[in-house]
Amino acid sequence: TAKAKRLFALICARQRAAIDAAEAESGSAVQSSAEVATSYELLFAAARDDFIATNETAMRALLGEFRDHNLVLSATASEGGEALWIPLSKDALSNLAGSIE
């Protein structure tokens, strides 16, 4: 759906930005992992602001499809919340985001 595409593009953009920041800090290449994941709370707030998912139920439904197909992985973040990331390299994320848009 259009909303699923927009949410996936949002996750891609946030993850690419996190990878860029981590690479700038460490000075070396960073792989996609829980270390560059986006917290569920921040992602939901951004999705709500962009009218992608206006409530928890809609957000969980969109994420459920991504999880079912292993497009998005999740883990418990060190702060205790949920962390979400796409298990692809930075280049693959950029190519995928370009094709979605």
Side-chain angles (χ1 to χ4, degrees), residues 11 14-16 33 35 37 39 44 47 57 61 63 68 71 73 77 92 101:
I11 298 169
R14 293 182 70 89
Q15 187 167 324
R16 285 190 336 234
S33 69
E35 294 174 9
S39 76
F44 177 57
T57 304
L63 288 174
D68 288 349
L71 296 173
L73 302 178
E101 295 168 359

Side-chain angles (χ1 to χ4, degrees), residues 66-88:
F66 297 152
R67 287 184 179 136
D68 288 349
H69 298 288
N70 293 321
L71 296 173
V72 172
L73 302 178
S74 65
T76 302
S78 58
E79 308 86 48
E82 184 178 13
L84 304 161
W85 74 96
I86 300 167
L88 295 174

